[in-house]
Amino acid sequence: MSLVSLKKINKFYKVGAHALHVLRDVDVDIAEGEMVSIMGSSGSGKSTLLNVLGILDAYDSGEYLLDGTPIRGLSERRAAQYRNKFIGFVFQSFNLLPFKTALENVALPLYYQGITRRRRNKLAAQYLEKVGLLEWSEHRPSELSGGQKQRVAIARSLITQPRLILADEPTGALDSETSHQIMDLLAEIHAGGITVVVVTHEADVAARTQRIIRLRDGKIATEAASTSPTPSTSTSTSPSPSPSPSPSTSTSTSTSTSTSTSPSPGSEQAG
Amino acid sequence: MFSLDRWQEILGTLWRNKLRSALTALSMAWGIFMLVVLLGLGNGLQAGVEHGFADDATNSIWLFAGQTSRPHKGLPIGRRVVLANRDVGKVDALPAVDHITGRYFARGGMFGGEITIRAGAKAQPFDVRAVHPGHLYLEKTLMKAGRYLNDTDVAERRKVVVIGLPVAAFLFGPANAIGRWVEINKVAFQVVGLFDDEGGEGEQKKAYIPITTAQAAFNGADRVNMLMFTVGNAGVAESKAIAAEATALLAEAHDFSPDDPQALRVRNNVENFQTFMQIFSMIDLVMGLMGVLAIVAGVIGVSNIMMIVVRERTKEIGIRKALGATPANIVGSIVQEAVVLTASAGYLGLVAGVGLLQLIERALPPNEMFGPPRVDLGIALGATVVLVVAGALAGFFPALAAARVNPIVALRDE
Ligand SMILES: Nc1ncnc2c1ncn2[C@@H]1O[C@H](COP(=O)(O)OP(=O)(O)OP(=O)(O)O)[C@@H](O)[C@H]1O
Ligand SMILES: [Mg+2]
C-alpha cells in the first residue's frame, strides 16, 4: 500500500468571477521510504500539490489517502494530529517564529503533544545537533543565515519523528553550496527510512531523488525514475552514522556531491 | 487548564507586545478606575444626605408655633400662637399619629439655647431638650443604659435627665453615670439613662428632661413651642393630609386660619426625604451612566486591540497550525491571553480607584455634606467581569475565524 495516494485530485482557486483550475486530475502514488521530487515550471501547481499533501490546503474533488486514511472530511483535531506527528513540512521561506530561539522553534511541535518543556528542549537540542547547529540554540532566526534557518526548520520538521517529510523548494532561497548541504541532510533523512517529497526547480536537486514527478499546468506530465541510488533498501532505522549518499551516476552531480559532503557540518555531525 | 508552560507562552506574548499590552491594560484599567471613582463619589454624596436624615425619623411632621399673618374671624394679624400641653394630647388623638412629643424651648429662640450642666467640678453648656417620652422615636435615640423618660416623669414633673454618652464621659469619666446627680440651671436632676445617636457627636452631646419639669423650672407655664410626631409608613400625599388635619385641629383651638402659613409652620419630613431621594437617585443615575460609558469605552478599546492582535498574528497562527496546533489550542491561548491581561488590568484599576477613594476619605474632614465615598465592590467586580468577558469574546471570534482557515491561507499572510 502506498503511503500517499492521490486519485483524480482537482483544485480550483477562485480569482474574481471565474475559477482557476490549478490541479487537474492529479494521480500520485508514493511508497513508504521513497524519495520523490516534484518539478515543473513556475505556476504549474507544485506548491499547491505539496500543500494538499501536507493537509495545509483543501482540494475540491478526488481522493487523498494518507497511509490508507481518507483525508477529506478529517476533523480539525485529526488533521492537526497528522500535521503534528505524521508529516514534517519544510518551507522555502523557513516559517520560523521570529521571537523564539532556534531551540524553541525546533521544540514547538512537541508543545502541541503536551510534552514537558524540559523534555522538549532536550530533544530539540539533539535535533539541532543532528543538523550541526547546537551552538546556535539560543539564537533567534534573525541572527541565522538562510542555510542555518533552513536547517533549523528541518530539525523542527524531524522532531516528532514523522513518516513523511514534505519540502517546498527547501533550497530555493539558498546558494548552491548551502543547497548541497540541505540536500545532503534530506538524503540522510531518507536514508533513515523516512519518505521525502521535495518540490524543486533545480535539476541537480531533483537528480538526487529516486523519482521525478513533473507537473505542467496542473497536470502530471511524466513520471521519470531518476537515476539516483536507492538507499531505501537499507531500512535500518538506527541513528548510527548513515553514509552520505554515494555519488550518483549522474555526472553533473557527482562532483558537487563529493565536494559538498566533506565541509557540511550537517552530514558530519549527524548520528 | 492550568499549565506553567501555557503561562510562560502567554506572558511571553504579552511581554513581546509591550506597547499593545500596555494600551489594552490602560483602556481596561481606566474604565474600571472611572467607574469605581464615580460610583464612590456618588455614594459619598448620598451617604452625606442620608447622614443628615439618619438621626431623625424621616416619617415625621414638625409643627412650629408662629404668628398669624392672616386676619381670622375679625382677629388681627401678628398674634402669637401659643400651643399648650393639651394640644399635644389633641393631635395624639388623631388616628394617623404614631408617636408624638412637644418641645419647650427653655431659653427661647429656635430650639432653645444651651444650658450649663454641672457635676462636681465639671461644668459645660449642653443642649438640654425638654420633651415628651415620644421624642425617643422622633430622634431615633438609642438607649445604652438605664431608661428613657416616661409618662410618670412628665406627669409628676420629676427631676430626671437622660444624657448622651459624650456628656456622661465629660461629667463622670468612665464611672457609671446612672443614678448620679447633675445640676441643670442650679436644679438637681438624677441621671436615669444614657443614650447614643447615629446623628454623630452633635446629636450625642445632648440631655433630655421631661417637658413639664422644664416648663416649671423656666417659668414656661404649659407652653409648647413645637410639636413633632411620626405618621407610620404614610406616603407623601397621606402625610400632607395628616399635617392639614393636625393644622385644622390646632387652628380651631387657637383661632387662626388653617391656611395661614405663618401661624403654624409645617415641616413635612416625609416630603423632604422623598425630594432628596429623588435628587440623589438622579445624581446616582448620572454617575452610573458616566461609569457605564467608561466601561463601554473600555470594552471598545479592548475589543479593537484583540482584533488587531489576531490580525497581526495570522502568520504565526498559520505556522503553529502547520506544526499541529488545533483550533482549540490557538483560540484557547488568545482568549486566555486576553483574560489574563484584562483581568489583571481591571484589578489594577479597581485597586487604584478604591485607593483614590480612600485617600479622599482620609483627606476630607468629617462633614455633613459628604459621607465616606465607598463603592459597592460587587458592582466594581461585576464591571471587571464584564470587561474581561468582553475582552475574551473580542479575542474569541477573530481567533476562531483565524484558527479555522486552512493553514496555508494564514501562512500566505505577510
Ligand atoms: N491563493 C491563490 N489564489 C489564487 N490563485 C493562486 C493562489 N495560490 C496560487 N495560485 C495560482 O495557482 C497556480 C499554481 O500555484 P503554485 O503556487 O502551486 O505554483 P508553483 O508551481 O508552486 O509555482 P512556483 O514554482 O512559482 O512556486 C498559479 O497559477 C498561481 O497563480
Ligand atoms: Mg511554489
CSV table of all heavy atoms in Angstrom, one decimal, chain B residues 263-285:
chain,number,residue,atom,x,y,z
B,263,ALA,N,-48.8,81.1,60.9
B,263,ALA,CA,-49.4,80.9,62.3
B,263,ALA,C,-48.8,79.5,62.8
B,263,ALA,O,-48.4,79.4,63.9
B,263,ALA,CB,-50.9,80.8,62.2
B,264,LEU,N,-48.8,78.6,61.9
B,264,LEU,CA,-48.3,77.3,62.3
B,264,LEU,C,-47.4,76.8,61.1
B,264,LEU,O,-47.9,76.5,60.0
B,264,LEU,CB,-49.4,76.3,62.5
B,264,LEU,CG,-49.0,75.0,63.2
B,264,LEU,CD1,-48.7,75.3,64.7
B,264,LEU,CD2,-50.2,74.0,63.2
B,265,ARG,N,-46.1,76.8,61.3
B,265,ARG,CA,-45.2,76.4,60.2
B,265,ARG,C,-45.1,74.9,60.2
B,265,ARG,O,-44.9,74.3,61.3
B,265,ARG,CB,-43.9,77.1,60.3
B,265,ARG,CG,-44.0,78.5,59.7
B,265,ARG,CD,-42.7,79.3,59.8
B,265,ARG,NE,-42.4,79.6,61.3
B,265,ARG,CZ,-41.4,79.0,61.9
B,265,ARG,NH1,-40.5,78.2,61.3
B,265,ARG,NH2,-41.2,79.3,63.1
B,266,VAL,N,-45.2,74.3,59.0
B,266,VAL,CA,-45.2,72.8,58.9
B,266,VAL,C,-43.9,72.4,58.2
B,266,VAL,O,-43.5,72.9,57.2
B,266,VAL,CB,-46.4,72.4,58.1
B,266,VAL,CG1,-46.3,70.8,57.9
B,266,VAL,CG2,-47.7,72.8,58.7
B,267,ARG,N,-43.2,71.5,58.9
B,267,ARG,CA,-42.1,70.8,58.1
B,267,ARG,C,-42.5,69.3,58.0
B,267,ARG,O,-42.6,68.6,58.9
B,267,ARG,CB,-40.8,70.9,58.9
B,267,ARG,CG,-39.7,70.2,58.3
B,267,ARG,CD,-38.3,70.5,58.9
B,267,ARG,NE,-37.4,69.4,58.7
B,267,ARG,CZ,-36.2,69.4,59.1
B,267,ARG,NH1,-35.7,70.4,59.8
B,267,ARG,NH2,-35.4,68.3,58.9
B,268,ASN,N,-42.7,69.0,56.7
B,268,ASN,CA,-43.1,67.6,56.4
B,268,ASN,C,-41.9,66.8,56.0
B,268,ASN,O,-41.4,66.9,54.9
B,268,ASN,CB,-44.2,67.6,55.3
B,268,ASN,CG,-44.7,66.2,55.1
B,268,ASN,OD1,-44.1,65.2,55.5
B,268,ASN,ND2,-45.9,66.1,54.5
B,269,ASN,N,-41.3,66.0,56.9
B,269,ASN,CA,-40.1,65.3,56.6
B,269,ASN,C,-40.3,64.2,55.6
B,269,ASN,O,-39.4,63.7,54.9
B,269,ASN,CB,-39.4,64.7,57.9
B,269,ASN,CG,-38.8,65.8,58.7
B,269,ASN,OD1,-38.1,66.7,58.1
B,269,ASN,ND2,-39.0,65.8,60.0
B,270,VAL,N,-41.5,63.7,55.5
B,270,VAL,CA,-41.8,62.6,54.6
B,270,VAL,C,-41.6,63.2,53.2
B,270,VAL,O,-40.9,62.6,52.3
B,270,VAL,CB,-43.3,62.1,54.7
B,270,VAL,CG1,-43.6,61.1,53.7
B,270,VAL,CG2,-43.5,61.6,56.1
B,271,GLU,N,-42.1,64.4,53.0
B,271,GLU,CA,-42.0,65.0,51.7
B,271,GLU,C,-40.5,65.4,51.4
B,271,GLU,O,-40.0,65.2,50.3
B,271,GLU,CB,-42.9,66.3,51.7
B,271,GLU,CG,-43.2,66.8,50.3
B,271,GLU,CD,-44.1,68.1,50.4
B,271,GLU,OE1,-44.5,68.4,51.5
B,271,GLU,OE2,-44.3,68.7,49.3
B,272,ASN,N,-39.9,66.0,52.4
B,272,ASN,CA,-38.5,66.4,52.2
B,272,ASN,C,-37.6,65.2,51.8
B,272,ASN,O,-36.7,65.3,51.0
B,272,ASN,CB,-37.9,67.0,53.5
B,272,ASN,CG,-38.6,68.3,53.8
B,272,ASN,OD1,-39.4,68.8,53.0
B,272,ASN,ND2,-38.3,68.9,55.0
B,273,PHE,N,-37.8,64.1,52.6
B,273,PHE,CA,-37.0,63.0,52.4
B,273,PHE,C,-37.1,62.4,51.0
B,273,PHE,O,-36.2,62.1,50.3
B,273,PHE,CB,-37.3,61.9,53.4
B,273,PHE,CG,-36.4,60.7,53.3
B,273,PHE,CD1,-35.1,60.8,53.8
B,273,PHE,CD2,-36.8,59.5,52.9
B,273,PHE,CE1,-34.2,59.8,53.7
B,273,PHE,CE2,-36.0,58.4,52.9
B,273,PHE,CZ,-34.7,58.5,53.3
B,274,GLN,N,-38.4,62.4,50.5
B,274,GLN,CA,-38.6,61.9,49.2
B,274,GLN,C,-38.0,62.8,48.1
B,274,GLN,O,-37.4,62.3,47.2
B,274,GLN,CB,-40.1,61.8,48.9
B,274,GLN,CG,-40.4,61.0,47.6
B,274,GLN,CD,-41.7,61.2,47.1
B,274,GLN,OE1,-42.7,61.0,47.8
B,274,GLN,NE2,-41.8,61.5,45.8
B,275,THR,N,-38.1,64.1,48.3
B,275,THR,CA,-37.4,65.1,47.4
B,275,THR,C,-35.9,64.8,47.3
B,275,THR,O,-35.4,64.7,46.2
B,275,THR,CB,-37.7,66.5,47.8
B,275,THR,OG1,-39.1,66.7,48.1
B,275,THR,CG2,-37.2,67.5,46.8
B,276,PHE,N,-35.3,64.7,48.5
B,276,PHE,CA,-33.9,64.4,48.5
B,276,PHE,C,-33.5,63.1,47.8
B,276,PHE,O,-32.6,63.1,47.0
B,276,PHE,CB,-33.4,64.4,49.9
B,276,PHE,CG,-32.8,65.7,50.4
B,276,PHE,CD1,-33.5,66.5,51.3
B,276,PHE,CD2,-31.6,66.2,49.9
B,276,PHE,CE1,-33.0,67.7,51.7
B,276,PHE,CE2,-31.1,67.4,50.3
B,276,PHE,CZ,-31.8,68.2,51.2
B,277,MET,N,-34.3,62.1,48.1
B,277,MET,CA,-34.0,60.8,47.5
B,277,MET,C,-34.2,60.9,46.0
B,277,MET,O,-33.4,60.3,45.3
B,277,MET,CB,-35.0,59.7,48.1
B,277,MET,CG,-34.6,59.3,49.4
B,277,MET,SD,-32.8,58.7,49.4
B,277,MET,CE,-32.1,59.7,50.6
B,278,GLN,N,-35.1,61.7,45.5
B,278,GLN,CA,-35.3,61.8,44.1
B,278,GLN,C,-34.1,62.5,43.5
B,278,GLN,O,-33.5,62.0,42.4
B,278,GLN,CB,-36.6,62.6,43.7
B,278,GLN,CG,-37.8,61.7,43.7
B,278,GLN,CD,-39.1,62.5,43.7
B,278,GLN,OE1,-39.1,63.7,43.9
B,278,GLN,NE2,-40.2,61.8,43.5
B,279,ILE,N,-33.6,63.6,44.1
B,279,ILE,CA,-32.4,64.3,43.6
B,279,ILE,C,-31.3,63.3,43.6
B,279,ILE,O,-30.5,63.3,42.6
B,279,ILE,CB,-32.1,65.5,44.5
B,279,ILE,CG1,-33.2,66.6,44.4
B,279,ILE,CG2,-30.7,66.0,44.2
B,279,ILE,CD1,-33.0,67.7,45.4
B,280,PHE,N,-31.1,62.5,44.6
B,280,PHE,CA,-29.9,61.7,44.7
B,280,PHE,C,-30.0,60.5,43.8
B,280,PHE,O,-29.0,60.0,43.3
B,280,PHE,CB,-29.6,61.3,46.1
B,280,PHE,CG,-28.8,62.5,46.7
B,280,PHE,CD1,-29.5,63.5,47.3
B,280,PHE,CD2,-27.5,62.6,46.4
B,280,PHE,CE1,-28.8,64.6,47.8
B,280,PHE,CE2,-26.8,63.7,46.9
B,280,PHE,CZ,-27.4,64.7,47.6
B,281,SER,N,-31.2,60.0,43.6
B,281,SER,CA,-31.3,58.9,42.6
B,281,SER,C,-31.0,59.4,41.2
B,281,SER,O,-30.4,58.7,40.4
B,281,SER,CB,-32.7,58.2,42.6
B,281,SER,OG,-33.7,59.1,42.4
B,282,MET,N,-31.3,60.7,41.0
B,282,MET,CA,-30.9,61.3,39.7
B,282,MET,C,-29.3,61.4,39.6
B,282,MET,O,-28.7,61.0,38.6
B,282,MET,CB,-31.4,62.8,39.6
B,282,MET,CG,-32.8,62.9,39.1
B,282,MET,SD,-32.9,62.2,37.4
B,282,MET,CE,-32.0,63.4,36.5
B,283,ILE,N,-28.7,61.9,40.7
B,283,ILE,CA,-27.3,62.0,40.7
B,283,ILE,C,-26.6,60.6,40.5
B,283,ILE,O,-25.7,60.5,39.7
B,283,ILE,CB,-26.8,62.7,42.0
B,283,ILE,CG1,-27.2,64.2,42.0
B,283,ILE,CG2,-25.3,62.6,42.1
B,283,ILE,CD1,-26.8,64.9,43.2
B,284,ASP,N,-27.2,59.7,41.2
B,284,ASP,CA,-26.7,58.3,41.1
B,284,ASP,C,-26.8,57.8,39.7
B,284,ASP,O,-25.9,57.2,39.2
B,284,ASP,CB,-27.6,57.4,42.0
B,284,ASP,CG,-26.8,56.8,43.1
B,284,ASP,OD1,-25.8,57.4,43.4
B,284,ASP,OD2,-27.3,55.9,43.8
B,285,LEU,N,-27.9,58.2,39.1
B,285,LEU,CA,-28.2,57.7,37.7
B,285,LEU,C,-27.1,58.3,36.8
B,285,LEU,O,-26.5,57.6,35.9
B,285,LEU,CB,-29.6,58.1,37.2
B,285,LEU,CG,-30.1,57.4,36.0
B,285,LEU,CD1,-30.5,56.0,36.3
B,285,LEU,CD2,-31.3,58.2,35.4
